[in-house]
Amino acid sequence: MTITQLRYIVALDQFKSFAKAAEHCLIAQPTLSLQIQKVEQELGFELFDRKKNPVITTKLGKAVVDQAKNTLKEADKLFEIAGQWKDEPAGNISIGIIPTVSNYLIPSIYQSLQTEFSKVNFRISELPTLTILEKLESEEIDLGILATPLKISNIVEHPLYYEPFVVYYPKNAKEKTSSVSMKHIEKYPLLVLGEEHCFRHQSLKICNRNSLAKIESGSVETLKRMVDMGIGITLLPKLSIEKSSERIVPFDSPEPAREISLVYKKGFYKTKILKKLTSLILSVIPKEYHSKEKFKIIGVSLNQD
């Protein structure tokens, strides 16, 4: 039984599909199936019920999968220890990132991830906050990039930067002020993201609105198009804006802002990758957003996100 075979077993248990597990492991489906069969022959019992769709892990199989996860974690630690003595980090790392950050951050760092982390296999997924936290708990992902503070006992928060909220006005708006307060925006219908997005609840909190907004959407781009039609206003993360416009106006000082952090479960050991990834992210974020001193940090409501 090999480390690679254990990875195949864990993947099949996770995805409940030979095709999806093979895709995740970057191998052909027949290869994955053959290797799992070899493990079953070696152990003398079936790990998975192939007659079911999706595939079901047997009772004995669940015990093997749990042990396989522990073994893989310890094996990864050995590789990480070895990597501490090398100039370049190596290994596998999976990251979950909220959509309102990924839309500008991933394009900014992707090329550098390929060159500066050439020996690291990154797997990056856009996910809402609660899903990231669930996957961190189950160890399906290693790191999360999301809005904080969360104040969860077994989650470590590593703040990166602080991003202001700005107001996006419709074309026919008469506001020409250099900054806005609540009195400037309370007369406009507010358009927000859907329930699964923490940005939605932060927007409602900033605008002192507890009731449902006029329109809710799963996409910032959809909200912007609706604002363009003159239906209302929306709030945007400052770093997602590619160019300046009279229709994009900051708030009065202190500007409301969200704290963006790298988060991980206690016991995380891939510290070399974490340190270098932190440095890379900060290199593409303007220095004026590295400190929270001039901002009013808007918290995250996990019971609603």
Side-chain angles (χ1 to χ4, degrees), residues 97-151:
I97 179 169
I98 56 175
T100 55
V101 172
S102 66
N103 66 344
Y104 65 81
L105 183 60
I106 298 306
S108 298
I109 67 173
Y110 183 77
Q111 292 299 330
S112 296
L113 286 177
Q114 304 304 301
T115 56
E116 297 182 30
F117 293 83
S118 59
K119 295 184 179 178
V120 177
N121 177 32
F122 279 94
R123 188 173 295 275
I124 302 173
S125 304
E126 266 194 10
L127 302 166
T129 297
L130 282 181
T131 302
I132 290 175
L133 295 175
E134 289 168 0
K135 288 183 177 293
L136 284 172
E137 179 62 32
S138 63
E139 300 183 356
E140 294 178 55
I141 61 174
D142 300 297
L143 293 172
I145 301 178
L146 40 70
T148 54
L150 300 169
K151 298 179 181 178

Side-chain angles (χ1 to χ4, degrees), residues 190 192 199-209 211 213:
L190 179 64
V192 298
F199 196 86
R200 169 193 192 274
H201 305 289
Q202 290 171 314
S203 296
L204 291 173
K205 188 181 295 185
I206 291 170
C207 297
N208 295 320
R209 301 192 192 186
S211 60

Side-chain angles (χ1 to χ4, degrees), residues 229-273:
M229 295 173 62
I231 295 175
I233 63 167
T234 192
L235 303 193
L236 299 175
K238 178 68 178 291
L239 295 174
S240 69
I241 301 165
E242 296 181 358
K243 57 184 179 181
S244 61
S245 167
E246 291 185 355
R247 295 168 57 200
I248 298 170
V249 185
F251 281 91
D252 291 341
S253 182
E255 297 175 75
R258 60 178 182 172
E259 178 182 80
I260 302 299
S261 299
L262 271 167
V263 302
Y264 48 89
K265 191 176 178 181
K266 286 183 178 179
F268 178 80
Y269 55 88
K270 301 178 182 181
T271 53
K272 193 166 188 177
I273 294 177

Side-chain angles (χ1 to χ4, degrees), residues 13 80 131 149 200 247 274 284:
D13 175 73
E80 181 67 19
T131 302
R200 169 193 192 274
R247 295 168 57 200
L274 177 67
V284 302

Side-chain angles (χ1 to χ4, degrees), residues 27-55:
I27 60 169
Q29 181 176 333
T31 301
L32 180 134
S33 180
L34 177 62
Q35 292 302 317
I36 291 179
Q37 284 180 4
K38 287 183 177 181
V39 174
E40 290 176 325
Q41 290 171 359
E42 184 177 347
L43 293 175
F45 54 83
E46 289 188 344
L47 301 175
F48 303 96
D49 184 350
R50 294 162 173 79
K51 297 177 183 178
K52 304 291 184 180
N53 186 17
V55 174

Side-chain angles (χ1 to χ4, degrees), residues 128-237:
T129 297
L130 282 181
T131 302
I132 290 175
L133 295 175
E134 289 168 0
K135 288 183 177 293
L136 284 172
E137 179 62 32
S138 63
E139 300 183 356
E140 294 178 55
I141 61 174
D142 300 297
L143 293 172
I145 301 178
L146 40 70
T148 54
L150 300 169
K151 298 179 181 178
I152 300 176
S153 59
N154 64 332
I155 294 293
V156 179
E157 301 175 12
H158 184 67
L160 294 168
Y161 59 92
Y162 304 88
E163 181 177 26
F165 294 79
V166 295
V167 181
Y168 185 60
Y169 281 102
K171 294 177 183 178
N172 59 354
K174 294 183 172 57
E175 304 295 340
K176 297 295 182 182
T177 56
S178 59
S179 64
V180 297
S181 63
M182 287 307 105
K183 69 178 182 180
H184 291 114
I185 64 175
E186 61 186 8
K187 59 186 175 183
Y188 292 96
L190 179 64
L191 314 182
V192 298
L193 290 170
E195 281 283 350
E196 71 273 19
H197 298 279
C198 55
F199 196 86
R200 169 193 192 274
H201 305 289
Q202 290 171 314
S203 296
L204 291 173
K205 188 181 295 185
I206 291 170
C207 297
N208 295 320
R209 301 192 192 186
N210 297 317
S211 60
L212 294 178
K214 187 167 184 177
I215 290 180
E216 299 185 16
S217 170
S219 165
V220 169
E221 289 305 312
T222 299
L223 293 180
K224 288 171 68 177
R225 291 192 184 98
M226 301 306 289
V227 172
D228 292 342
M229 295 173 62
I231 295 175
I233 63 167
T234 192
L235 303 193
L236 299 175

